[in-house]
Amino acid sequence: MSPGADEARRLLERELERSEYDGARATWWDRASRAFLDWLGSFRVGGLDSPVLTHTFLAIAVVVLVAVVVLVVVARGLPRRRPRTTPTSDGSVFDAEDIRSARELGDAGRAALRSGDWSGAVLDGYRALARGLGERDLVRDVPGATARAVAGRAAPLFAEQAERIDAAARAFDDVRYLGRSADEAVARAVLDTEQAVRTAHPQAVPAVPA
């Protein structure tokens, strides 16, 4: 049995109110579908001379509208939910789950450079620099430190590389937290700085409290 006008309207409203449509902004499609539903609801079976014609028209309208919904979803995908809260990153160099060694990070950075992923090379290149300082016991609390904090602690130990380290830290923050894209020159500079610091002897090793 074909659905009546009220039943068709209710079914379509229930479909359009499903949870996966939450968070999407009203679009031309939302407005058009709502206007169509209002127009569809204005029909009553007794409003036309032929009840059979009315039921047939409503059934065709429902099928057409559902088909359009399916086509829109296939073409554009389901609306994405917007994050309900802002990111709570503390600005640290490493993600909590990143336990790669300095060598692994350096290899990843150079692989990213070869593949043209300049931003990836900046991130892993600076992480390799920071991890290396931690592995050499030159900078403490590396996993939770920010890029600028690592640079500030490393500068007295590598005075000749201090400006390059600071520039690498700024490049890391630009990519990681400001969403900027690095170019090849910046990526190479970060990786070259990592290598220079890795192969240099520190001017002084800070005493570690017992």
Side-chain angles (χ1 to χ4, degrees):
M1 179 177 179
S2 301
D6 291 337
E7 179 65 18
R9 178 189 177 93
R10 187 166 54 255
L11 290 173
L12 290 173
E13 287 180 338
R14 185 180 305 169
E15 171 65 22
L16 293 174
E17 291 174 358
R18 290 173 55 188
S19 61
E20 51 262 44
Y21 293 92
D22 293 346
R25 287 186 176 179
T27 63
W28 66 268
W29 168 250
D30 299 323
R31 295 190 293 271
S33 60
R34 177 59 59 184
F36 180 83
L37 287 173
D38 292 339
W39 173 75
L40 188 64
S42 68
F43 286 91
R44 296 293 184 271
V45 174
L48 297 177
D49 294 335
S50 173
V52 175
L53 179 61
T54 300
H55 284 92
T56 301
F57 171 78
L58 291 175
I60 293 174
V62 170
V63 171
V64 170
L65 184 58
V66 171
V68 171
V69 170
V70 171
L71 288 175
V72 170
V73 170
V74 170
R76 301 192 314 178
L78 291 174
R80 296 181 179 272
R81 292 179 182 269
R82 290 186 171 187
R84 297 190 179 185
T85 58
T86 56
T88 57
S89 172
D90 58 2
S92 58
V93 175
F94 293 96
D95 296 325
E97 66 275 10
D98 193 345
I99 59 173
R100 291 174 293 174
S101 67
R103 181 173 182 176
E104 290 172 328
L105 287 162
D107 289 343
R110 286 182 284 275
L113 181 68
R114 289 193 297 271
S115 67
D117 180 7
W118 318 132
S119 295
V122 167
L123 295 178
D124 282 335
Y126 191 80
R127 286 171 178 149
L129 187 155
R131 186 76 81 191
L133 293 171
E135 291 175 352
R136 297 165 69 183
D137 294 325
L138 298 175
V139 173
R140 302 184 64 193
D141 302 322
V142 165
T146 65
R148 300 304 292 272
V150 170
R153 296 170 189 172
L157 307 176
F158 301 95
E160 294 183 358
Q161 309 296 336
E163 291 186 4
R164 296 174 64 185
I165 295 172
D166 184 69
R170 286 187 279 107
F172 178 91
D173 284 344
D174 284 347
V175 172
R176 173 73 166 170
Y177 296 109
L178 299 182
R180 297 173 181 170
S181 297
D183 57 25
E184 182 177 1
V186 171
R188 288 188 181 277
V190 171
L191 288 169
D192 288 346
T193 300
E194 183 277 328
Q195 183 178 7
V197 171
R198 172 165 42 87
T199 56
H201 294 288
Q203 295 178 355
V205 178
V208 179

